[in-house]
Amino acid sequence: MANKGFAVPVAAVGALPSATVGKVFAVCLRFFAVCLGHTVNSFTSCTHLASPDLSESEDGVSDVEFAHHDLLNQVLDDSSSASDRILRSYKRSLNGFAARLTEQEAHELSSMDGVVSVFPSRTYEPLTTRSWDFLGFPQTPKEELPLEGDVIVGMLDTGIWPDSPSFSDDGFGPPPSRWKGACQNFTCNKYGHGVIGARAYRRGSSDGLSPLDDVGHGSHTASTVAGRPVGNVSFNGLAAGVARGAVPGARLAVYKVCWEGGGCGGADILAAFDDAIADGVDVISFSIGGSLPSPYFRDAAAIGSFHAVRRGVVTSTSAGNSGLPGGGRVCNVAPWMLSVAASSIDRRFTDTIVLGNGDTFVGASINTFPTLTNATLAFPTNGSCDPDDLTGGSYRGKIVLCLPPAQIGHPVDPLSADAAGAVILTRAPDVAFVLPLPGLTVTRDQFDQIMAYVNSTSNPVATIGRTETTGNPQAPVAASFSSPGPNLITPGILKPDLSAPGIDIIAAWTMLSSPTGNPKDNRKAPYNIISGTSMACPHTSGAAAYVKSFHRDWSPAMIMSALITTATPMNSAGNSGWTALKYGAGQLSPATARDPGLVYDASEGDYVAMLCAQGYNATQLALITGSNATSCADVSRSAGSSGSDLNYPTMAARVEQGKNFTVRFPRTVTNVGAASAVYDAKVLLSAEAAKDLAVEVSPSKLEFTAQNQKASFTVTVSGVAPAAEGQVHSAAVVWYNDEHQVRSPVVVYA
Ligand SMILES: *[C@@H]1O[C@H](CO)[C@@H](O)[C@H](O)[C@H]1NC(C)=O
Ligand SMILES: *[C@@H]1O[C@H](CO)[C@@H](O)[C@H](O)[C@H]1NC(C)=O
Ligand SMILES: *[C@@H]1O[C@H](CO)[C@@H](O)[C@H](O)[C@H]1NC(C)=O
Ligand SMILES: *[C@@H]1O[C@H](CO)[C@@H](O)[C@H](O)[C@H]1NC(C)=O
Ligand SMILES: *[C@@H]1O[C@H](CO)[C@@H](O)[C@H](O)[C@H]1NC(C)=O
Ligand SMILES: *[C@@H]1O[C@H](CO)[C@@H](O)[C@H](O)[C@H]1NC(C)=O
Ligand SMILES: *[C@@H]1O[C@H](CO)[C@@H](O)[C@H](O)[C@H]1NC(C)=O
């Protein structure tokens, strides 16, 4: 059967547990997630699945599960039974199941009453740049920000290494009483206060799985959110200092959905959202994504986070690591979750190579090996450092010059040939990778100069020193790899939302893996330095937990708004292509976010209105929301399908290239500062932008006399659209008084 681009390989399906389906089917079966609305055999709707205490029948199958089986049996022929096919029922926070189905069965199921969507369980990736796929090796985040809160953060990731000092539970009391989570095959007795829950999911099952982190990614992100302060942390002496998370007093709940070599299954992600919401988390941190966004109702994270919003749970996600030329667009773009871009911090890691002729080049790496002196330089055929191309022993003891792999995903591994060192041409010169051998990454220009030397002599040699730490005064600058907008699903919603540190971040690691994951790297590192929007996301998750700890009653949209409108503007540092489409509202500023002054709130109904404008009809919406109270007929919105009308804290519009345009953004702010407050509007517009753009705010003064009072206004943006695709007009609208600056970027793109 032809693979239609689904990421779940057929071979993996064959390896699924309880594979009692005959071989005849095995070839055609794929792994699907099925989402149901409230009409399924009149069982509890998605909205009201408050209690996990569903009645169990005698054979241990709950009513909801029975309904799932019943539904599925209707599309199966007599030789199959639903119990062989259903891998997991979602029944705690949302309603649905994961099952192995043929395309035909999936199609039939999708047209049945009560079925919202049936989609192939796509495989997602943890979004670090840690892997040879992206270029070389790992990196890590750097923690700031104090304050504790009795807040529970759910981490959907690769698990956790609980023995890290970052996860010590010294000084913690018992978990909050509302906590309904579990510690599945995990030592929660010893670590039950800081890490209060841990579950694992793989291909629809949890049987025999451990939530222990054997990759490192999950420990890294978890410690960035809520790691305890740990002194004298470094990577073999580099980046020494105190490591701590945003909210060291917060509780962590771990949902392991990503597996070494296996990615993260959509159906497992949905199962983890289902549990996390019902367990009682306040914030979900999701450093997972694909290289392109999917339509919301085929996207496990969009569906899961929609249900999270309904329970007041905010979801923070990664924007994606596809920003390099040839990569994709921002992922995780639903307006009910945060999409976080990565940016630099004020520290860089540089490394130096001195050629035999004395020429010296400064590149980037995390290289703590002893200095490698006067080793021979060698350029393999085509510059390929794929292990298959380095066989034969001729690179042993040499410094190998590596070009990036022709295709993303091909390995670059000079260590496999016992090379002594490596010089790697990088597509991401702003990132320092941990290498499993002495080496560094260099730019194209530097690489060419080194090649010219190699070509010029019969005995090319070079010396590679250890990495040094330097300042980075231009920071924060958006990371080269961070996936840019525009939002391909809802063009009127700016994504990414904001930016956070995601380059060379140090945080906790696992002792079950080396810092590079390279099979020949036998080092162990309790703290590791890695990069990715995966590292940016938990900074924002931690900040969301911090804000939540002060404002328990704020909606997810209010928390998102607080983080977005208080972000610090960023500059493009000479790269004029980098605009708000690359970094959103700017750099996360957690301390300011605690007291934003005004917020742009939105409810489930507002998101539904936006989906209506995008063309979802009443039937589909009722199924999705589990309520027939919302109907598109009740929704009267002017600006059509772009999403510009949603009460979002940023303003974006796609306009027709080169044409005159006028776009109106109706907005409502809620006063969350002092009862009595007056705000004036100002428009920030560069002289350059003012030639093509006019921005008007009406009214331009807002007066409040009570807390939680609302006020509405309209931003009208008009002008001549950018002449070329990819060009952007940027401005900002700021509501300000002596205490607050509430800033919304305005972006018009062609
Ligand atoms: C616990 O995890 C280990 C390691 O993966 C596994 O071998 C074992 O079967 C699991 N135990 C249970 C009860 O799930
Ligand atoms: C800090 O760590 C270094 C290297 O790991 C060690 O030599 C040193 O004694 C430690 N200092 C303190 C104060 O623990
Ligand atoms: C390395 O080579 C350079 C130039 O050939 C030479 O000057 C230097 O002494 C050598 N260093 C060592 C330690 O052999
Ligand atoms: C060096 O030689 C290689 C072939 O060995 C060639 O592909 C490359 O273009 C040369 N580079 C420079 C800078 O001379
Ligand atoms: C909504 O769309 C679905 C699928 O296109 C269709 O079956 C259904 O009849 C529509 N409902 C309404 C109320 O238009
Ligand atoms: C919603 O469903 C309930 C129960 O089926 C029904 O009584 C009610 O009239 C429906 N409301 C709308 C607006 O269709
Ligand atoms: C577009 O707007 C400019 C002024 O901004 C005006 O001179 C021009 O005539 C307009 N073009 C059209 C086609 O309306």
Side-chain angles (χ1 to χ4, degrees):
M1 174 166 208
N3 188 317
K4 294 191 351 211
F6 303 139
V8 178
V10 170
V13 172
L16 287 171
S18 72
T20 50
V21 176
K23 282 219 156 54
V24 180
F25 294 97
V27 180
C28 305
L29 290 170
R30 290 180 192 286
F31 192 17
F32 286 88
V34 181
C35 273
L36 307 177
H38 69 303
T39 59
V40 177
N41 299 341
S42 73
F43 281 100
T44 322
S45 74
C46 289
T47 324
H48 303 297
L49 275 179
S51 165
D53 307 315
L54 297 157
S55 62
E56 301 259 317
S57 67
E58 276 173 19
D59 58 359
V61 178
S62 72
D63 288 351
V64 171
E65 280 174 276
F66 185 79
H68 293 167
H69 285 224
D70 196 37
L71 182 78
L72 182 54
N73 272 326
Q74 295 176 44
V75 303
L76 299 180
D77 64 30
D78 290 347
S79 65
S80 317
S81 111
S83 49
D84 295 337
R85 299 288 198 83
I86 291 191
L87 297 160
R88 176 183 290 274
S89 278
Y90 314 131
K91 57 192 179 184
R92 300 187 67 198
S93 309
L94 42 99
N95 187 3
F97 56 87
R100 286 169 295 136
L101 304 171
T102 63
E103 297 288 344
Q104 175 63 25
E105 289 160 356
H107 181 74
E108 277 178 40
L109 199 56
S110 66
S111 64
M112 289 180 70
D113 231 18
V115 175
V116 174
S117 62
V118 178
F119 58 92
S121 176
R122 187 179 155 203
T123 303
Y124 300 79
E125 292 297 328
L127 288 175
T128 10
T129 55
R130 174 193 165 272
S131 80
W132 276 111
D133 293 2
F134 185 61
L135 183 272
F137 319 83
Q139 322 97 64
T140 311
K142 162 82 182 169
E143 286 53 306
E144 303 96 69
L145 315 175
L147 217 98
E148 316 202 335
D150 197 21
V151 173
I152 306 167
V153 183
M155 305 294 308
L156 272 58
D157 213 300
T158 65
I160 195 165
W161 176 250
D163 293 342
S164 168
S166 288
F167 305 123
S168 140
D169 58 2
D170 282 357
F172 278 90
S177 58
R178 68 180 190 284
W179 178 242
K180 296 199 189 68
C183 297
Q184 173 202 78
N185 198 4
F186 192 78
T187 50
C188 266
N189 290 339
K190 192 170 167 203
Y191 300 100
H193 292 165
V195 180
I196 61 173
R199 302 176 187 267
Y201 313 80
R202 188 165 203 186
R203 292 181 197 141
S205 172
S206 292
D207 297 342
L209 300 178
S210 163
L212 277 184
D213 182 9
D214 53 0
V215 177
H217 189 273
S219 303
H220 201 278
T221 55
S223 69
T224 301
V225 173
R228 322 304 162 218
V230 181
N232 200 24
V233 158
S234 71
F235 181 81
N236 292 331
L238 274 183
V242 174
R244 69 176 165 180
V247 277
R251 315 306 180 105
L252 288 167
V254 173
Y255 302 86
K256 176 166 181 162
V257 294
C258 301
W259 299 85
E260 178 74 61
C264 331
D268 296 328
I269 290 169
L270 217 42
F273 268 102
D274 185 36
D275 278 338
I277 298 164
D279 286 349
V281 305
D282 298 299
V283 175
I284 289 175
S285 190
F286 187 80
S287 287
I288 298 171
S291 59
L292 281 173
S294 344
Y296 300 136
F297 297 107
R298 296 175 75 88
D299 181 345
I303 295 167
S305 59
F306 191 90
H307 288 267
V309 160
R310 188 183 277 148
R311 298 284 197 86
V313 176
V314 63
T315 303
S316 161
T317 71
S318 308
N321 293 341
S322 307
L324 293 171
R329 292 286 173 185
V330 58
C331 64
N332 295 326
V333 296
W336 50 86
M337 60 194 189
L338 283 163
S339 180
V340 187
S343 49
S344 56
I345 59 172
D346 60 357
R347 179 179 64 193
R348 293 200 63 205
F349 299 104
T350 59
D351 201 3
T352 302
I353 181 169
V354 181
L355 306 183
N357 64 6
D359 286 355
T360 300
F361 300 95
V362 178
S365 75
I366 309 292
N367 165 19
T368 55
F369 295 99
T371 297
L372 177 65
T373 306
N374 285 354
T376 301
L377 288 161
F379 183 69
T381 310
N382 299 325
S384 169
C385 288
D386 186 319
D388 291 345
D389 296 331
L390 295 178
T391 54
S394 53
Y395 300 99
R396 189 181 311 265
K398 295 181 178 164
I399 298 173
V400 183
L401 295 158
C402 303
L403 292 174
Q407 277 181 316
I408 298 228
H410 281 204
V412 172
D413 189 4
L415 191 58
S416 67
D418 292 323
V423 177
I424 301 167
L425 173 59
T426 184
R427 295 189 179 106
D430 50 346
V431 176
F433 294 95
V434 176
L435 302 181
L437 75 178
L440 73 169
T441 61
V442 298
T443 62
R444 164 62 72 181
D445 182 51
Q446 292 173 325
F447 195 88
D448 287 346
Q449 293 182 58
I450 295 167
M451 277 301 296
Y453 162 70
V454 170
N455 290 357
S456 73
T457 167
S458 58
N459 181 28
V461 297
T463 294
I464 298 177
R466 291 164 65 108
T467 292
E468 289 177 6
T469 305
T470 63
N472 186 17
Q474 285 190 314
V477 173
S480 55
F481 58 78
S482 192
S483 298
N487 183 338
L488 296 182
I489 307 295
T490 307
I493 297 293
L494 178 64
K495 293 284 169 173
D497 289 293
L498 76 174
S499 191
I503 299 180
D504 304 343
I505 304 299
I506 185 164
W509 202 244
T510 176
M511 296 308 251
L512 296 178
S513 170
S514 72
T516 60
N518 186 293
K520 284 197 160 185
D521 187 352
N522 52 22
R523 296 175 297 171
K524 291 282 179 278
Y527 290 84
N528 197 9
I529 299 174
I530 63 173
S531 303
T533 53
S534 273
M535 282 61 252
C537 166
H539 283 87
T540 306
S541 312
Y546 175 84
V547 174
K548 180 89 182 178
S549 72
F550 293 101
H551 308 289
R552 298 274 337 168
D553 57 333
W554 281 13
S555 69
M558 291 166 85
I559 292 173
M560 286 174 59
S561 174
L563 295 169
I564 291 169
T565 63
T566 57
T568 314
M570 281 170 48
N571 68 58
S572 54
N575 190 330
S576 59
W578 290 359
T579 64
L581 288 184
K582 181 85 175 171
Y583 47 72
Q587 172 159 273
L588 177 71
S589 174
T592 327
R594 173 185 163 182
D595 178 23
L598 304 174
V599 292
Y600 295 77
D601 197 5
S603 64
E604 182 189 339
D606 296 316
Y607 300 129
V608 168
M610 186 203 82
L611 295 171
C612 288
Q614 284 206 263
Y616 291 91
N617 71 26
T619 314
Q620 295 165 318
L621 281 169
L623 291 168
I624 291 153
T625 61
S627 158
N628 63 0
T630 23
S631 150
C632 288
D634 303 335
V635 177
S636 58
R637 295 281 184 169
S638 53
S641 62
S642 78
S644 300
D645 282 4
L646 182 68
N647 195 37
Y648 210 66
T650 57
M651 296 155 205
R654 184 175 63 194
V655 293
E656 229 182 301
Q657 208 169 306
K659 298 263 174 66
N660 288 3
F661 69 88
T662 299
V663 202
R664 288 157 44 85
F665 300 94
R667 291 290 188 269
T668 299
V669 285
T670 305
N671 178 26
V672 293
S676 169
V678 178
Y679 285 84
D680 287 301
K682 69 182 168 196
V683 172
L684 304 179
L685 201 55
S686 68
E688 174 80 17
K691 283 186 288 185
D692 297 316
L693 208 59
V695 180
E696 209 180 277
V697 184
S698 172
S700 61
K701 185 186 277 291
L702 299 177
E703 295 186 41
F704 298 93
T705 54
Q707 276 184 341
N708 297 318
Q709 191 180 351
K710 292 180 187 294
S712 296
F713 61 95
T714 301
V715 175
T716 306
V717 183
S718 56
V720 186
E725 200 182 329
Q727 279 184 5
V728 172
H729 293 331
S730 305
V733 168
V734 183
W735 289 105
Y736 70 98
N737 60 23
D738 288 346
E739 282 86 40
H740 297 107
Q741 300 261 331
V742 188
R743 182 175 152 277
S744 296
V746 177
V747 180
V748 178
Y749 62 95

